[in-house]
């Protein structure tokens, strides 16, 4: 589930840095030049709430099991938040973008040229 996204058309690999700097929306693949959507919704609506839940659970567990909990909780929270921020680009997904009719026609004419 947590891995760097690849192009849905040609499976070209994108680097961690590229994905983390990518904005939500349509992009052209650097490799096959086809359109896809960079989708960050999964990270925002599933991954982040899950991280918050883990954070709360761990805080409660530490709170129950130790007497000197404050510094332990601070350190644990810091580690979890840092890990979550680092994992965020791995939750980005690329979806193939639907082509418009004119784009399809252009693609088809290019294919026919190849056949001739
Ligand atoms: Zn591609």
């Amino acid at each position: 589930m947590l891995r760097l996204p690849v192009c849905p058309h040609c499976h070209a690999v994108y680097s961690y840095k590229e994905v983390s700097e990518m904005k939500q929306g349509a992009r052209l693949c650097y490799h096959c030049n086809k359109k896809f959507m960079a989708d960050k919704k999964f990270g925002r609506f599933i991954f982040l709430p899950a991280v918050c839940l883990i954070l709360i659970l761990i805080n409660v567990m530490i709170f129950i099991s130790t007497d000197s909990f404050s510094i332990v909780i601070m350190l644990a929270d810091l580690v979890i938040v840092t890990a979550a921020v680092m994992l965020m680009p791995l939750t980005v997904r690329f979806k193939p973008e639907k082509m418009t009719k004119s784009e399809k026609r252009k693609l088809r004419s290019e294919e026919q040229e190849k056949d001739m």
Side-chain angles (χ1 to χ4, degrees), residues 11-102:
H11 301 284
V13 179
Y14 284 78
S15 74
Y16 180 90
K17 195 171 172 285
E18 281 174 307
V19 175
S20 62
E21 286 168 357
M22 214 172 267
K23 290 188 182 80
Q24 169 96 17
R27 281 185 62 94
L28 281 178
C29 174
Y30 72 89
H31 184 246
C32 65
N33 228 19
K34 283 178 185 164
K35 243 188 195 175
F36 64 77
M37 292 285 291
D39 185 8
K40 296 188 158 183
K41 285 195 191 93
F42 175 83
R44 281 182 196 155
F45 296 117
I46 297 173
F47 182 68
L48 280 184
V51 169
C52 290
L53 200 71
I54 291 168
L55 219 56
I56 293 166
L57 282 175
I58 286 179
N59 285 2
V60 169
M61 269 159 55
I62 295 170
F63 185 76
I64 292 167
S65 61
T66 59
D67 294 327
S68 58
F69 60 86
S70 60
I71 193 82
V72 181
I73 285 181
M74 267 172 59
L75 281 173
D77 290 356
L78 196 70
V79 169
I80 293 164
V81 170
T82 308
V85 168
M86 285 175 72
L87 287 173
M88 271 304 274
L90 305 188
T91 66
V92 176
R93 284 294 159 264
F94 294 163
K95 289 173 181 168
E97 169 86 319
K98 279 198 184 103
M99 275 187 288
T100 61
K101 271 181 185 170
S102 63

